Amino acid sequence: MPILSDDEMIRRAGGLRWILSDVDGVLTDGGLTYDRRGAASLTFDVKDGMGLKLAQRAGLQVGLLSSRSSDAAERRAAELGLDGVHLGIEDKGAWLDRFLDRQRLAAREIAYIGDDLADLVVLGRCGLAFAPADAVAEVKAVADRVLDARGGRGAVREMVERILRARGDWERVLAPFTFERR
């Protein structure tokens, strides 16, 4: 597993403009439940959603990047007001090339969190690479940080908090939620 010093984490986090997240196994626990009509349902952790909103408050753009299309993921992204939703992407590497060109970004300006083999091509190129605690071994091996939380259980929130703390943004984005005890 790559070791990233705290100083390097701070340096890389300061240069970020986007956070992208895989969906299945990252924003969800990876389970799929099908109803009688064959429609899949997914369960999202609300803390992860709050984390993505906090990232936006800090001035970062936030999006989803998934190999699988999902009505549930589209709905969740719309509820959160995410900046980009990219689902059904079979070749994440080719997609990343187009995205970088369209957004006029360098790969180092993106943080990405993924959990499975399809994510390796993005994780290996982005500025900060994160993996949930239950990611596959190959993903953990290339991640800059393996998180304590599992996919669908707060991993995205943990990633965002680590990024915002490294950037010095955590206290500012937390301010609207704080109060003084009487």
Coordinates of all heavy atoms in Angstrom, one line a residue, residues 68-168:
R68 N -21.9 1.1 -14.0 CA -23.2 0.7 -14.1 C -24.2 1.9 -14.1 O -24.0 2.8 -13.4 CB -23.6 -0.2 -12.9 CG -24.7 -1.2 -13.1 CD -24.8 -2.1 -11.9 NE -25.2 -1.4 -10.7 CZ -26.5 -1.0 -10.4 NH1 -27.5 -1.3 -11.3 NH2 -26.7 -0.4 -9.3
S69 N -25.2 1.8 -14.9 CA -26.3 2.8 -14.9 C -27.2 2.4 -13.8 O -27.4 1.3 -13.5 CB -27.0 2.7 -16.3 OG -26.2 3.1 -17.3
S70 N -27.8 3.5 -13.2 CA -28.7 3.3 -12.1 C -29.6 4.4 -11.9 O -29.2 5.6 -11.7 CB -27.8 3.1 -10.8 OG -28.6 3.2 -9.6
D71 N -30.9 4.1 -11.9 CA -31.9 5.2 -11.7 C -31.8 5.7 -10.2 O -31.9 6.9 -10.0 CB -33.3 4.6 -11.9 CG -33.6 4.3 -13.4 OD1 -32.9 4.9 -14.2 OD2 -34.6 3.5 -13.6
A72 N -31.5 4.8 -9.3 CA -31.3 5.2 -7.9 C -30.1 6.2 -7.7 O -30.2 7.2 -7.0 CB -31.2 4.0 -7.0
A73 N -29.0 5.9 -8.4 CA -27.9 6.8 -8.3 C -28.2 8.1 -8.9 O -27.8 9.2 -8.4 CB -26.6 6.1 -8.9
E74 N -28.9 8.1 -10.1 CA -29.2 9.4 -10.7 C -30.1 10.2 -9.8 O -30.0 11.4 -9.6 CB -30.0 9.1 -12.0 CG -29.0 8.7 -13.2 CD -29.8 8.6 -14.5 OE1 -30.7 9.4 -14.7 OE2 -29.3 7.8 -15.3
R75 N -31.1 9.5 -9.1 CA -32.0 10.2 -8.2 C -31.2 10.8 -7.0 O -31.4 12.0 -6.6 CB -33.1 9.3 -7.7 CG -34.0 10.0 -6.8 CD -35.2 9.2 -6.5 NE -36.0 9.9 -5.5 CZ -37.2 9.5 -5.0 NH1 -37.7 8.4 -5.5 NH2 -37.8 10.2 -4.2
R76 N -30.3 10.0 -6.5 CA -29.5 10.5 -5.3 C -28.7 11.7 -5.7 O -28.6 12.7 -5.0 CB -28.7 9.4 -4.8 CG -27.9 9.7 -3.5 CD -28.8 10.0 -2.3 NE -28.1 10.3 -1.1 CZ -28.4 11.2 -0.3 NH1 -29.5 12.0 -0.4 NH2 -27.6 11.4 0.8
A77 N -28.0 11.6 -6.9 CA -27.2 12.7 -7.4 C -28.0 14.0 -7.6 O -27.6 15.1 -7.2 CB -26.5 12.3 -8.7
A78 N -29.3 13.8 -8.1 CA -30.1 15.0 -8.3 C -30.5 15.6 -6.9 O -30.5 16.8 -6.7 CB -31.4 14.6 -9.1
E79 N -30.9 14.7 -5.9 CA -31.2 15.2 -4.6 C -30.1 16.0 -4.0 O -30.3 17.0 -3.3 CB -31.5 14.0 -3.7 CG -32.8 13.3 -3.9 CD -32.9 12.1 -3.1 OE1 -32.0 11.7 -2.4 OE2 -34.0 11.5 -3.1
L80 N -28.9 15.6 -4.2 CA -27.7 16.3 -3.7 C -27.2 17.5 -4.5 O -26.4 18.2 -4.0 CB -26.5 15.3 -3.5 CG -26.8 14.2 -2.5 CD1 -25.7 13.1 -2.6 CD2 -26.9 14.7 -1.1
G81 N -27.7 17.6 -5.7 CA -27.3 18.7 -6.6 C -25.8 18.5 -7.0 O -25.1 19.5 -7.0
L82 N -25.4 17.3 -7.3 CA -24.0 17.1 -7.7 C -23.7 17.7 -9.0 O -24.6 18.0 -9.9 CB -23.7 15.6 -7.8 CG -23.9 14.8 -6.4 CD1 -23.5 13.4 -6.6 CD2 -23.2 15.5 -5.3
D83 N -22.5 18.0 -9.2 CA -22.0 18.7 -10.4 C -21.9 17.9 -11.7 O -21.8 18.4 -12.8 CB -20.7 19.4 -10.1 CG -20.8 20.3 -8.9 OD1 -21.5 21.3 -9.0 OD2 -20.1 20.1 -7.9
G84 N -21.7 16.6 -11.5 CA -21.6 15.7 -12.6 C -22.0 14.3 -12.3 O -21.7 13.8 -11.2
V85 N -22.8 13.7 -13.2 CA -23.2 12.3 -13.0 C -22.9 11.5 -14.3 O -23.4 11.8 -15.4 CB -24.7 12.2 -12.8 CG1 -25.2 10.8 -12.5 CG2 -25.1 13.1 -11.6
H86 N -22.0 10.6 -14.1 CA -21.5 9.8 -15.3 C -21.6 8.3 -15.0 O -20.8 7.7 -14.3 CB -20.0 10.2 -15.5 CG -19.8 11.7 -15.5 ND1 -20.1 12.5 -16.6 CD2 -19.4 12.5 -14.5 CE1 -19.8 13.7 -16.3 NE2 -19.4 13.8 -15.0
L87 N -22.7 7.8 -15.5 CA -23.1 6.4 -15.2 C -23.1 5.6 -16.5 O -23.2 6.1 -17.6 CB -24.5 6.3 -14.6 CG -24.7 7.2 -13.3 CD1 -26.1 7.2 -12.9 CD2 -23.8 6.8 -12.2
G88 N -22.9 4.3 -16.3 CA -22.8 3.4 -17.5 C -21.5 3.6 -18.3 O -21.5 3.3 -19.5
I89 N -20.4 3.9 -17.6 CA -19.2 4.2 -18.3 C -18.3 2.9 -18.2 O -17.8 2.5 -17.2 CB -18.4 5.3 -17.6 CG1 -19.2 6.6 -17.4 CG2 -17.1 5.6 -18.3 CD1 -19.7 7.2 -18.7
E90 N -18.2 2.2 -19.4 CA -17.5 1.0 -19.4 C -16.0 1.1 -19.4 O -15.3 0.3 -18.8 CB -18.0 0.2 -20.7 CG -19.4 -0.3 -20.6 CD -19.8 -1.1 -21.8 OE1 -18.9 -1.8 -22.4 OE2 -21.0 -1.1 -22.1
D91 N -15.5 2.2 -20.0 CA -14.1 2.4 -20.1 C -13.8 3.7 -19.3 O -13.8 4.8 -19.9 CB -13.6 2.5 -21.6 CG -12.1 2.7 -21.7 OD1 -11.4 3.0 -20.7 OD2 -11.6 2.5 -22.8
K92 N -13.5 3.6 -18.1 CA -13.3 4.7 -17.2 C -12.0 5.5 -17.6 O -12.0 6.7 -17.4 CB -13.2 4.4 -15.7 CG -14.6 3.9 -15.2 CD -14.6 3.7 -13.7 CE -15.9 3.3 -13.2 NZ -15.9 3.1 -11.7
G93 N -11.0 4.8 -18.2 CA -9.8 5.5 -18.6 C -10.1 6.4 -19.8 O -9.6 7.6 -19.7
A94 N -10.7 5.9 -20.8 CA -11.1 6.8 -21.9 C -12.0 7.9 -21.5 O -11.8 9.0 -22.0 CB -11.7 5.9 -23.0
W95 N -12.9 7.6 -20.6 CA -13.8 8.7 -20.1 C -13.0 9.7 -19.4 O -13.3 10.9 -19.6 CB -14.9 8.1 -19.2 CG -15.7 9.2 -18.6 CD1 -16.9 9.7 -19.1 CD2 -15.4 9.9 -17.4 NE1 -17.3 10.7 -18.3 CE2 -16.5 10.9 -17.2 CE3 -14.4 9.9 -16.4 CZ2 -16.5 11.7 -16.2 CZ3 -14.5 10.8 -15.4 CH2 -15.5 11.7 -15.3
L96 N -12.1 9.3 -18.6 CA -11.3 10.3 -17.8 C -10.5 11.2 -18.8 O -10.4 12.4 -18.6 CB -10.3 9.6 -16.9 CG -9.4 10.5 -16.1 CD1 -10.2 11.4 -15.1 CD2 -8.4 9.6 -15.3
D97 N -9.9 10.7 -19.9 CA -9.2 11.5 -20.9 C -10.2 12.6 -21.4 O -9.8 13.8 -21.5 CB -8.7 10.7 -22.0 CG -7.5 9.8 -21.6 OD1 -6.8 10.1 -20.6 OD2 -7.4 8.7 -22.3
R98 N -11.4 12.2 -21.8 CA -12.4 13.2 -22.3 C -12.8 14.2 -21.3 O -12.9 15.4 -21.5 CB -13.6 12.5 -22.9 CG -13.3 11.6 -24.1 CD -14.6 11.1 -24.8 NE -15.4 10.3 -23.9 CZ -15.2 9.0 -23.7 NH1 -14.2 8.3 -24.3 NH2 -16.0 8.3 -22.9
F99 N -13.0 13.7 -20.0 CA -13.4 14.6 -18.9 C -12.3 15.6 -18.6 O -12.6 16.8 -18.5 CB -13.7 13.8 -17.7 CG -14.2 14.5 -16.5 CD1 -15.4 15.0 -16.4 CD2 -13.3 14.8 -15.4 CE1 -15.9 15.8 -15.3 CE2 -13.7 15.5 -14.3 CZ -15.0 16.0 -14.3
L100 N -11.1 15.2 -18.6 CA -10.0 16.2 -18.3 C -9.9 17.2 -19.4 O -9.7 18.4 -19.1 CB -8.7 15.4 -18.2 CG -8.5 14.4 -17.0 CD1 -7.2 13.6 -17.2 CD2 -8.6 15.2 -15.7
D101 N -10.1 16.8 -20.6 CA -10.1 17.7 -21.7 C -11.2 18.7 -21.7 O -11.0 19.9 -21.8 CB -10.1 17.0 -23.1 CG -9.9 17.9 -24.3 OD1 -8.9 18.6 -24.3 OD2 -10.7 17.8 -25.2
R102 N -12.4 18.2 -21.5 CA -13.6 19.1 -21.4 C -13.6 20.1 -20.3 O -14.0 21.2 -20.4 CB -14.9 18.2 -21.3 CG -15.4 17.7 -22.6 CD -16.8 17.1 -22.4 NE -17.0 16.3 -21.2 CZ -16.9 15.0 -21.1 NH1 -16.5 14.3 -22.2 NH2 -17.1 14.4 -20.0
Q103 N -13.1 19.6 -19.1 CA -13.1 20.4 -17.9 C -11.8 21.3 -17.8 O -11.7 22.1 -16.9 CB -13.2 19.6 -16.7 CG -14.5 18.8 -16.5 CD -15.7 19.8 -16.3 OE1 -15.5 20.8 -15.6 NE2 -16.8 19.5 -16.9
R104 N -10.9 21.0 -18.7 CA -9.6 21.7 -18.7 C -8.9 21.5 -17.4 O -8.4 22.4 -16.7 CB -9.7 23.2 -19.0 CG -10.2 23.4 -20.4 CD -10.3 24.8 -20.8 NE -10.9 24.8 -22.2 CZ -11.1 25.8 -22.9 NH1 -10.9 27.0 -22.4 NH2 -11.6 25.7 -24.1
L105 N -8.8 20.2 -17.0 CA -8.2 19.8 -15.8 C -6.9 18.9 -16.0 O -6.8 18.3 -17.1 CB -9.2 18.9 -15.0 CG -10.4 19.5 -14.4 CD1 -11.3 18.3 -13.9 CD2 -10.1 20.4 -13.3
A106 N -6.1 18.9 -15.0 CA -5.0 17.9 -15.0 C -5.5 16.8 -14.0 O -6.3 17.1 -13.1 CB -3.7 18.5 -14.4
A107 N -5.1 15.6 -14.3 CA -5.6 14.5 -13.4 C -5.3 14.7 -12.0 O -6.0 14.3 -11.1 CB -5.0 13.2 -13.9
R108 N -4.2 15.4 -11.7 CA -3.8 15.7 -10.3 C -4.8 16.6 -9.5 O -4.8 16.7 -8.3 CB -2.4 16.3 -10.2 CG -2.3 17.7 -10.7 CD -0.9 18.3 -10.6 NE -0.9 19.6 -11.2 CZ -0.8 19.8 -12.5 NH1 -0.6 18.8 -13.4 NH2 -0.7 21.1 -13.0
E109 N -5.8 17.2 -10.3 CA -6.8 18.1 -9.7 C -8.0 17.3 -9.3 O -9.0 17.9 -8.9 CB -7.1 19.2 -10.7 CG -6.0 20.1 -10.9 CD -6.3 21.1 -12.0 OE1 -6.5 20.8 -13.1 OE2 -6.2 22.3 -11.6
I110 N -8.0 16.0 -9.4 CA -9.1 15.1 -9.0 C -8.8 14.2 -7.9 O -7.7 13.5 -7.9 CB -9.6 14.3 -10.3 CG1 -10.0 15.2 -11.4 CG2 -10.7 13.3 -9.9 CD1 -10.3 14.5 -12.7
A111 N -9.7 14.1 -6.9 CA -9.6 13.0 -6.0 C -10.7 12.0 -6.4 O -11.8 12.4 -6.8 CB -9.9 13.5 -4.5
Y112 N -10.3 10.7 -6.2 CA -11.3 9.7 -6.7 C -11.3 8.6 -5.6 O -10.3 8.2 -5.0 CB -10.8 9.0 -8.0 CG -11.8 8.0 -8.5 CD1 -13.0 8.4 -9.0 CD2 -11.5 6.7 -8.6 CE1 -13.9 7.5 -9.5 CE2 -12.4 5.7 -9.1 CZ -13.6 6.1 -9.5 OH -14.5 5.2 -10.0
I113 N -12.5 8.0 -5.4 CA -12.7 6.9 -4.5 C -13.3 5.8 -5.2 O -14.3 6.0 -5.9 CB -13.5 7.3 -3.2 CG1 -13.6 6.1 -2.3 CG2 -14.8 7.9 -3.5 CD1 -14.1 6.4 -0.9
G114 N -12.7 4.6 -5.2 CA -13.2 3.4 -5.9 C -12.9 2.2 -5.1 O -12.0 2.2 -4.2
D115 N -13.6 1.1 -5.4 CA -13.4 -0.1 -4.6 C -13.1 -1.4 -5.4 O -12.7 -2.4 -4.8 CB -14.7 -0.4 -3.8 CG -15.8 -0.8 -4.7 OD1 -16.1 -0.2 -5.7 OD2 -16.4 -1.9 -4.4
D116 N -13.2 -1.3 -6.7 CA -13.0 -2.6 -7.5 C -12.1 -2.3 -8.7 O -11.7 -1.2 -9.0 CB -14.4 -3.1 -7.9 CG -14.4 -4.6 -7.9 OD1 -13.4 -5.3 -8.0 OD2 -15.5 -5.2 -7.9
L117 N -11.9 -3.4 -9.4 CA -10.9 -3.4 -10.5 C -11.2 -2.3 -11.6 O -10.2 -1.7 -12.1 CB -10.9 -4.8 -11.2 CG -10.5 -5.9 -10.2 CD1 -10.6 -7.3 -11.0 CD2 -9.2 -5.7 -9.6
A118 N -12.4 -2.1 -11.9 CA -12.8 -1.0 -12.9 C -12.3 0.4 -12.5 O -12.2 1.2 -13.4 CB -14.3 -1.0 -13.2
D119 N -12.0 0.5 -11.2 CA -11.6 1.9 -10.7 C -10.1 2.1 -10.8 O -9.6 3.2 -10.7 CB -12.0 2.0 -9.3 CG -13.5 1.9 -9.1 OD1 -14.2 2.7 -9.9 OD2 -14.0 1.1 -8.3
L120 N -9.3 1.0 -11.0 CA -7.9 1.1 -11.0 C -7.3 2.1 -12.0 O -6.4 2.9 -11.6 CB -7.2 -0.2 -11.3 CG -7.4 -1.3 -10.1 CD1 -6.9 -2.6 -10.6 CD2 -6.6 -0.8 -8.9
V121 N -7.9 2.2 -13.2 CA -7.3 3.1 -14.2 C -7.5 4.6 -13.8 O -6.6 5.4 -14.1 CB -8.0 2.9 -15.6 CG1 -9.5 3.2 -15.6 CG2 -7.2 3.6 -16.7
V122 N -8.5 4.9 -13.0 CA -8.7 6.3 -12.5 C -7.9 6.5 -11.3 O -7.2 7.5 -11.1 CB -10.2 6.6 -12.2 CG1 -10.4 8.0 -11.7 CG2 -11.0 6.4 -13.5
L123 N -7.9 5.6 -10.3 CA -7.2 5.7 -9.1 C -5.7 5.9 -9.4 O -5.0 6.7 -8.7 CB -7.4 4.4 -8.2 CG -8.7 4.3 -7.6 CD1 -8.9 2.9 -7.1 CD2 -8.9 5.3 -6.5
G124 N -5.1 5.2 -10.4 CA -3.7 5.3 -10.7 C -3.3 6.6 -11.3 O -2.1 6.9 -11.3
R125 N -4.2 7.4 -11.7 CA -3.9 8.7 -12.4 C -4.3 9.9 -11.7 O -3.7 11.0 -11.9 CB -4.6 8.7 -13.8 CG -4.1 7.7 -14.7 CD -4.8 7.6 -16.0 NE -4.8 8.9 -16.7 CZ -5.6 9.3 -17.7 NH1 -6.5 8.4 -18.2 NH2 -5.5 10.4 -18.3
C126 N -5.2 9.8 -10.7 CA -5.7 11.1 -10.1 C -4.8 11.6 -9.0 O -3.8 10.9 -8.6 CB -7.1 10.8 -9.5 SG -7.1 9.6 -8.2
G127 N -5.0 12.8 -8.5 CA -4.2 13.4 -7.6 C -4.2 12.8 -6.2 O -3.2 12.7 -5.5
L128 N -5.4 12.4 -5.8 CA -5.5 11.6 -4.5 C -6.5 10.4 -4.8 O -7.6 10.6 -5.3 CB -6.1 12.5 -3.4 CG -5.1 13.5 -2.7 CD1 -5.9 14.4 -1.8 CD2 -4.1 12.7 -2.0
A129 N -6.0 9.3 -4.4 CA -6.8 8.0 -4.6 C -7.2 7.4 -3.2 O -6.3 7.2 -2.4 CB -5.9 7.0 -5.4
F130 N -8.4 7.1 -3.1 CA -9.0 6.6 -1.8 C -9.7 5.3 -2.1 O -10.2 5.1 -3.2 CB -10.0 7.6 -1.2 CG -9.4 8.8 -0.7 CD1 -9.2 9.9 -1.6 CD2 -8.9 9.0 0.6 CE1 -8.6 11.1 -1.1 CE2 -8.4 10.1 1.1 CZ -8.2 11.2 0.2
A131 N -9.7 4.4 -1.1 CA -10.4 3.1 -1.1 C -11.1 2.9 0.2 O -10.6 3.2 1.3 CB -9.4 2.0 -1.4
P132 N -12.4 2.4 0.1 CA -13.0 2.0 1.4 C -12.3 0.9 2.0 O -11.5 0.1 1.3 CB -14.4 1.6 0.9 CG -14.6 2.1 -0.5 CD -13.2 2.2 -1.1
A133 N -12.6 0.6 3.3 CA -11.9 -0.5 4.0 C -12.1 -1.8 3.4 O -11.3 -2.7 3.4 CB -12.4 -0.5 5.4
D134 N -13.3 -2.0 2.7 CA -13.6 -3.3 2.1 C -13.3 -3.4 0.6 O -13.8 -4.3 -0.1 CB -15.0 -3.7 2.4 CG -16.0 -2.7 2.0 OD1 -15.7 -1.5 1.7 OD2 -17.2 -3.0 1.9
A135 N -12.5 -2.5 0.1 CA -12.1 -2.5 -1.3 C -11.3 -3.8 -1.6 O -10.7 -4.4 -0.7 CB -11.3 -1.3 -1.7
V136 N -11.2 -4.2 -2.9 CA -10.4 -5.3 -3.3 C -8.9 -5.0 -3.1 O -8.5 -3.8 -3.1 CB -10.7 -5.8 -4.7 CG1 -12.2 -6.2 -4.9 CG2 -10.3 -4.8 -5.7
A137 N -8.1 -6.0 -2.9 CA -6.7 -5.9 -2.6 C -6.0 -5.0 -3.6 O -5.1 -4.2 -3.3 CB -6.0 -7.2 -2.4
E138 N -6.3 -5.2 -4.9 CA -5.6 -4.5 -6.0 C -5.9 -3.0 -5.8 O -5.0 -2.2 -6.1 CB -6.1 -5.0 -7.3 CG -5.7 -6.4 -7.7 CD -6.6 -7.5 -7.1 OE1 -7.5 -7.1 -6.3 OE2 -6.3 -8.6 -7.4
V139 N -7.1 -2.6 -5.4 CA -7.4 -1.2 -5.2 C -6.7 -0.6 -4.0 O -6.1 0.5 -4.0 CB -8.9 -1.0 -5.1 CG1 -9.3 0.4 -4.6 CG2 -9.6 -1.2 -6.5
K140 N -6.7 -1.4 -2.9 CA -6.0 -0.9 -1.7 C -4.5 -0.7 -2.0 O -3.9 0.2 -1.4 CB -6.2 -2.0 -0.6 CG -7.6 -2.0 0.0 CD -7.6 -3.1 1.1 CE -9.0 -3.1 1.7 NZ -9.0 -4.1 2.8
A141 N -4.0 -1.5 -2.9 CA -2.5 -1.4 -3.2 C -2.1 -0.1 -3.9 O -1.0 0.3 -3.8 CB -2.1 -2.6 -4.0
V142 N -3.1 0.5 -4.6 CA -2.7 1.7 -5.4 C -3.3 3.0 -4.7 O -3.0 4.1 -5.0 CB -3.2 1.7 -6.8 CG1 -2.6 0.5 -7.6 CG2 -4.7 1.7 -6.9
A143 N -4.2 2.8 -3.7 CA -4.8 3.9 -3.0 C -3.7 4.7 -2.2 O -2.9 4.1 -1.6 CB -5.9 3.5 -2.1
D144 N -3.9 6.0 -2.2 CA -3.1 6.8 -1.3 C -3.5 6.7 0.2 O -2.7 6.8 1.1 CB -3.2 8.3 -1.7 CG -2.6 8.6 -3.1 OD1 -1.5 8.1 -3.4 OD2 -3.3 9.2 -3.9
R145 N -4.8 6.5 0.4 CA -5.3 6.3 1.7 C -6.4 5.2 1.6 O -7.3 5.3 0.8 CB -6.0 7.5 2.2 CG -5.1 8.7 2.6 CD -4.4 8.4 4.0 NE -3.9 9.6 4.5 CZ -2.6 9.9 4.4 NH1 -1.8 9.2 3.7 NH2 -2.1 11.0 5.0
V146 N -6.3 4.2 2.5 CA -7.4 3.2 2.7 C -8.1 3.7 3.9 O -7.5 3.9 5.0 CB -6.8 1.8 2.8 CG1 -8.0 0.8 3.1 CG2 -6.1 1.3 1.6
L147 N -9.4 3.9 3.7 CA -10.2 4.5 4.8 C -10.6 3.5 5.8 O -10.6 2.2 5.6 CB -11.4 5.1 4.2 CG -11.1 6.2 3.1 CD1 -12.3 6.5 2.3 CD2 -10.5 7.4 3.8
D148 N -11.0 3.9 7.0 CA -11.5 3.0 8.0 C -12.9 2.5 7.7 O -13.3 1.4 8.1 CB -11.5 3.8 9.4 CG -10.1 4.1 9.8 OD1 -9.1 3.4 9.5 OD2 -9.9 5.2 10.5
A149 N -13.7 3.4 7.1 CA -15.1 3.0 6.8 C -15.2 2.1 5.6 O -14.4 2.2 4.7 CB -15.9 4.3 6.6
R150 N -16.3 1.3 5.6 CA -16.6 0.4 4.5 C -17.4 1.2 3.5 O -18.0 2.2 3.8 CB -17.3 -0.8 5.0 CG -16.5 -1.6 6.0 CD -17.3 -2.7 6.7 NE -17.9 -3.6 5.7 CZ -17.3 -4.7 5.3 NH1 -16.1 -5.0 5.7 NH2 -17.9 -5.5 4.4
G151 N -17.5 0.7 2.3 CA -18.4 1.2 1.3 C -19.8 1.2 1.7 O -20.3 0.3 2.3
G152 N -20.5 2.4 1.5 CA -21.9 2.5 1.9 C -22.1 2.7 3.4 O -23.2 2.8 3.9
R153 N -21.0 2.9 4.1 CA -21.0 3.0 5.5 C -20.2 4.2 6.0 O -19.5 4.2 7.0 CB -20.5 1.8 6.3 CG -21.4 0.5 6.0 CD -22.7 0.6 6.6 NE -23.5 -0.6 6.5 CZ -24.5 -0.7 5.7 NH1 -24.8 0.2 4.9 NH2 -25.1 -1.9 5.6
G154 N -20.1 5.3 5.2 CA -19.4 6.5 5.6 C -18.1 6.7 5.0 O -17.3 7.6 5.4
A155 N -17.7 5.9 4.0 CA -16.3 6.0 3.5 C -16.2 7.3 2.7 O -15.1 8.0 2.8 CB -16.0 4.8 2.5
V156 N -17.2 7.7 2.0 CA -17.1 9.0 1.2 C -17.0 10.2 2.2 O -16.2 11.1 2.0 CB -18.3 9.1 0.3 CG1 -18.3 10.5 -0.4 CG2 -18.1 8.1 -0.8
R157 N -17.8 10.1 3.3 CA -17.7 11.2 4.3 C -16.3 11.3 4.9 O -15.8 12.4 5.1 CB -18.8 10.9 5.3 CG -18.7 11.8 6.6 CD -19.1 13.3 6.2 NE -19.2 14.0 7.4 CZ -20.4 14.2 8.1 NH1 -21.5 13.7 7.6 NH2 -20.4 14.9 9.2
E158 N -15.8 10.1 5.2 CA -14.4 10.1 5.8 C -13.4 10.7 4.8 O -12.6 11.5 5.2 CB -14.0 8.6 6.2 CG -12.7 8.5 6.8 CD -12.3 7.1 7.1 OE1 -13.1 6.2 7.1 OE2 -11.1 6.9 7.3
M159 N -13.5 10.3 3.6 CA -12.6 10.9 2.5 C -12.7 12.4 2.5 O -11.7 13.1 2.5 CB -12.9 10.3 1.2 CG -12.1 10.9 0.0 SD -12.7 10.5 -1.6 CE -14.3 11.3 -1.6
V160 N -13.9 12.9 2.4 CA -14.2 14.3 2.3 C -13.6 15.0 3.5 O -12.9 16.1 3.4 CB -15.7 14.7 2.1 CG1 -15.9 16.1 2.2 CG2 -16.1 14.2 0.7
E161 N -13.9 14.5 4.7 CA -13.3 15.1 5.9 C -11.8 15.2 5.9 O -11.2 16.2 6.2 CB -13.8 14.4 7.1 CG -13.4 15.1 8.4 CD -14.0 14.5 9.7 OE1 -15.1 13.9 9.6 OE2 -13.4 14.7 10.7
R162 N -11.2 14.1 5.4 CA -9.7 14.1 5.4 C -9.2 15.2 4.4 O -8.2 15.8 4.6 CB -9.2 12.7 5.0 CG -9.3 11.7 6.1 CD -8.7 10.4 5.7 NE -8.9 9.4 6.8 CZ -8.1 8.4 7.0 NH1 -7.0 8.3 6.2 NH2 -8.3 7.5 7.9
I163 N -9.9 15.3 3.2 CA -9.5 16.2 2.2 C -9.7 17.7 2.8 O -8.8 18.5 2.7 CB -10.3 16.0 0.9 CG1 -9.8 14.8 0.2 CG2 -10.1 17.2 0.0 CD1 -10.7 14.3 -1.0
L164 N -10.8 17.9 3.3 CA -11.1 19.3 3.8 C -10.2 19.7 5.0 O -9.8 20.8 5.1 CB -12.6 19.4 4.2 CG -13.6 19.3 3.0 CD1 -15.0 19.5 3.4 CD2 -13.2 20.1 1.8
R165 N -9.9 18.7 5.8 CA -9.0 19.0 6.9 C -7.6 19.3 6.3 O -6.9 20.3 6.8 CB -8.9 17.9 7.9 CG -10.1 17.8 8.8 CD -9.9 16.7 9.9 NE -11.1 16.5 10.7 CZ -11.4 17.2 11.7 NH1 -10.6 18.2 12.1 NH2 -12.5 17.0 12.4
A166 N -7.1 18.6 5.4 CA -5.8 18.8 4.8 C -5.8 20.1 4.1 O -4.7 20.8 4.0 CB -5.5 17.7 3.8
R167 N -6.9 20.6 3.5 CA -6.9 21.9 2.8 C -7.1 23.1 3.8 O -7.0 24.2 3.3 CB -8.1 21.9 1.8 CG -8.0 21.0 0.6 CD -9.3 20.8 -0.1 NE -9.8 22.0 -0.6 CZ -9.7 22.5 -1.8 NH1 -8.9 21.9 -2.7 NH2 -10.2 23.7 -2.2
G168 N -7.4 22.8 5.0 CA -7.7 23.8 6.0 C -9.1 24.4 5.9 O -9.4 25.5 6.4

